[in-house]
Amino acid sequence: MTMRRIALVAVALAAGCFTATAAEKPVELRRDAGRDRVEANCTACHSLDYVLMNSPFPSAAQWDAEVAKMIKAFGAPIDEADAKIIADYLKRNYGS
Amino acid sequence: MRRMERDRSRISGGAGVNLLSRRHVLVGGGRAMLAAWSGGFMLGSAAAPGAAGAGTVHMPSGLAAGTLKEAVLDALPGKRPLIKLSWRPPNYETPVEYLRTQITPNDAFFVRYHLSDIPTIDAAAWRLAVGGDGAGGSFELTLDELKAMPAVAVVAVNQCAGNRRGLFTPHVPGVEWGYGAMGCAAWKGVRLKDLLDRAGIKKEAVEIVLEGADGPVSGGTPKFIKSLPLWKAMEETTLVAFEMNGKPLPHFNGFPARIVVPGWTGTYWMKHLVSIRAVTKPESGFWMKTAYRIPVGLFPTVARFASQETTVNMPITEMMVNSLITSHNDGATVGAGTPLVIGGVAWDAGYGIDIVELSSNGGRTWQHAALGPDLGRYAFRPFSLALGPGIRGRHTILARASNRIGQTQASQLIQNPAGYHHNVIQSLTIQVT
């Protein structure tokens, strides 16, 4: 067993002992107008890989519906102006 | 490293997409995987010593481009590297390699959460509250008190309602699962019925409402609350489970106790259970009234949840009959020197697997596969069939399971708004050279 492997095993064991939360890694969205609004609003509740995983297939109507669902069904506190910026960003960058 | 590269190419060797593990320096399981690869019935636990996980994992090519790009192997604390679909809340599916056995190892079992506030549970401080307006009384149990009650065990498949959602055409938004949002385990716990009997169920009670300790991070988000019809809650195999495959439940599978509803989709299997309430009015939250619903009459569902049905839709309940070929990946190349043994697992809602048929010519002719040991009507049932030897060329292999009430896997995808119940006959191509 190499030193590197030993070190990694030790880190893994320590993680298992002291925390049960996932080690979230940063998700990079495409640089485009509105990305800051997506990051500021959406990441409060979920990681941004939800966007990437659901791409590039949603139609414009589906992205509108997803944003509306987050606000209406899941109570995301996003104002109307931001909601439009977010939906437009998603349609432009991750739509079909 | 060189040996690992070789193993990786042999393990993955097929169409679709192979993911590189972020922890591939820890890989030691390649050879163990290959040993399990070669077919026959795959029995017992897959927990081969030192098998930290495959360096690569095969994903079906039918997934969306964004899903294939974003999915990576990653190990949650206490888990082997699984296929990460989302970091927060954590949604991780089980690589097909771990579904070659009848029992899925705890540390390879899939992880599914809707909401992101997931507390670490202190077993000593945990309490389970039982009561509700449909109960004659109420009480609380500590974990030790729960464990002191008469316990039973059942081997049962836990499958997410949206397993294989990622394979819908056209794609349906949601968690884009491949084949691995499922697993089969031996669950041990107390009958939910025994707890309800102790509280005393009034004749007006219609549903049993279940809540876990996890919840939303935003005050406006509906808490994940589910209910069961009284008849299902009172079944002998519906459990409050505190053991999985002889061990405490892993944190990410609901420690210290979860509901087990054999035959029904995973949405009812409440994790981190803290509250059980008998109620006289149907539960009216988002997760019952809006989510997890299917159009009335679309699927051959037998198990009904009358108090939650409308004229247009109904709650998803039991799983559809299904099977998965686990012996080979789509696009695999194998040598003609040895018989081609196709194997996998089949399951249904507990009516029992009757037959599994395989076709090696795209469905023109079918042969009955041999069925492996029966661990109970809610468990994975292994199947296996040797084709050849000497059948060179490209073969389109199909597997089709049927159950004892005459239900068969769908030949065409049954579209539905949320992408549930994907049980289309699987088709894969194997090249014999």
Side-chain angles (χ1 to χ4, degrees):
Chain A
M1 187 179 270
T2 64
M3 283 309 290
R4 177 161 164 73
R5 184 163 168 183
I6 290 166
L8 281 167
V9 169
V11 168
L13 289 174
C17 289
F18 299 118
T19 174
T21 52
E24 182 176 345
K25 305 207 173 43
V27 176
E28 173 101 3
L29 294 186
R30 276 189 204 133
R31 192 169 303 158
D32 188 17
R35 182 174 74 167
D36 61 329
R37 295 295 85 205
V38 174
E39 289 172 347
N41 285 285
C42 308
T43 58
C45 294
H46 64 83
S47 50
L48 294 175
D49 44 6
Y50 268 82
V51 171
L52 297 167
M53 171 172 65
N54 281 282
S55 73
F57 59 85
S59 64
Q62 280 178 312
W63 273 128
D64 279 334
E66 285 300 311
V67 174
K69 180 181 172 186
M70 294 304 146
I71 296 167
K72 289 183 184 135
F74 289 97
I78 303 174
D79 65 41
E80 240 175 80
D82 271 6
K84 183 169 178 350
I85 292 169
I86 291 167
D88 287 346
Y89 171 88
L90 295 171
K91 287 182 242 181
R92 239 181 3 256
N93 291 282
Y94 296 103
S96 58
Chain B
M1 265 323 259
R2 185 167 295 161
R3 181 178 70 78
M4 202 187 72
E5 294 292 342
R6 190 174 65 238
D7 284 355
R8 178 185 300 158
S9 64
R10 288 166 71 191
I11 292 167
S12 53
V17 174
N18 300 302
L19 307 176
L20 182 63
S21 169
R22 290 189 177 166
R23 297 176 188 225
H24 63 271
V25 289
L26 285 174
V27 165
R31 287 185 190 280
M33 293 263 174
L34 285 172
W37 176 267
S38 51
F41 293 127
M42 294 147 286
L43 304 175
S45 168
T56 62
V57 66
H58 185 93
M59 295 288 282
S61 54
L63 295 170
T67 311
L68 291 168
K69 200 168 160 208
E70 196 49 34
V72 292
L73 280 174
D74 180 76
L76 289 165
K79 290 281 188 180
R80 300 183 203 208
L82 304 179
I83 301 167
K84 187 282 305 176
L85 292 174
S86 69
W87 299 110
R88 176 171 54 91
N91 286 295
Y92 286 62
E93 73 173 78
T94 299
V96 169
E97 285 78 359
Y98 294 119
L99 300 172
R100 291 185 185 137
T101 51
Q102 267 181 294
I103 298 293
T104 314
N106 289 4
D107 58 5
F109 216 90
F110 81 103
V111 173
R112 200 277 180 263
Y113 283 88
H114 299 85
L115 305 171
S116 301
D117 182 10
I118 306 167
T120 302
I121 310 274
D122 173 2
W126 177 85
R127 296 290 183 276
L128 174 60
V130 184
D133 75 332
S138 63
F139 60 93
E140 267 194 3
L141 289 176
T142 65
L143 188 56
D144 285 342
E145 288 167 341
L146 180 72
K147 288 179 174 175
M149 292 180 67
V152 294
V154 60
V155 179
V157 174
N158 175 17
Q159 179 182 224
C160 177
N163 194 22
R164 307 187 183 184
R165 177 183 292 116
L167 303 178
F168 270 67
T169 316
H171 289 298
V172 176
V175 177
E176 299 298 300
W177 300 109
Y179 291 115
M182 65 169 192
C184 180
W187 310 92
K188 181 183 165 189
V190 172
R191 286 191 181 98
L192 179 55
K193 174 184 190 300
D194 290 349
L195 295 170
L196 296 172
D197 282 346
R198 182 163 157 190
I201 297 301
K202 295 180 183 169
K203 63 179 189 309
E204 298 86 3
V206 288
E207 295 180 6
I208 304 302
V209 177
L210 309 162
E211 290 186 52
D214 49 319
V217 290
S218 166
T221 306
K223 193 164 186 295
F224 186 64
I225 297 172
K226 297 296 291 186
S227 63
L228 286 169
L230 188 60
W231 71 265
K232 187 65 183 175
M234 297 298 277
E235 276 195 346
E236 295 285 313
T237 50
T238 300
L239 307 182
V240 174
F242 49 79
E243 266 186 32
M244 179 176 172
N245 296 330
K247 300 263 172 57
L249 299 175
H251 166 72
F252 288 105
N253 298 107
F255 181 84
R258 78 177 305 170
I259 293 284
V260 165
V261 194
W264 283 35
T265 54
T267 184
Y268 296 100
W269 297 44
M270 184 64 66
K271 299 186 295 295
H272 313 295
L273 183 71
V274 291
S275 167
I276 299 169
R277 286 183 293 120
V279 295
T280 57
K281 291 194 175 58
E283 161 61 27
S284 61
F286 170 81
W287 298 101
M288 289 306 301
K289 291 292 179 196
T290 307
Y292 286 104
R293 298 187 75 90
I294 53 175
V296 166
L298 190 61
F299 295 97
T301 303
V302 178
R304 303 296 290 265
F305 194 161
S307 56
Q308 290 283 347
E309 294 180 6
T310 71
T311 53
V312 292
N313 61 37
M314 55 194 265
I316 195 168
T317 55
E318 65 192 7
M319 296 183 285
M320 297 291 114
V321 63
N322 214 340
S323 66
L324 178 69
I325 294 171
T326 58
S327 58
H328 297 79
N329 290 328
D330 187 20
T333 299
V334 298
T338 52
L340 174 58
V341 180
I342 305 293
V345 290
W347 66 99
D348 78 334
Y351 303 105
I353 293 300
D354 184 23
I355 53 169
V356 177
E357 298 159 286
L358 290 177
S359 172
S360 59
N361 52 24
R364 284 203 301 281
T365 57
W366 296 85
Q367 300 177 68
H368 283 213
L371 297 182
D374 184 353
L375 295 185
R377 60 201 187 103
Y378 297 112
F380 277 156
R381 192 82 193 266
F383 64 85
S384 178
L385 182 69
L387 303 170
I391 50 156
R392 288 178 195 277
R394 200 175 143 88
H395 302 280
T396 301
I397 310 287
L398 311 183
R400 178 172 72 187
S402 301
N403 67 9
R404 290 180 190 145
I405 60 168
Q407 298 173 333
T408 298
Q409 284 181 247
S411 50
Q412 298 280 325
L413 180 66
I414 301 172
Q415 286 288 350
N416 63 101
Y420 298 137
H421 276 336
H422 186 301
N423 71 334
V424 178
I425 294 166
Q426 190 191 2
S427 167
L428 49 81
T429 302
I430 297 177
Q431 184 79 34
V432 182
T433 58

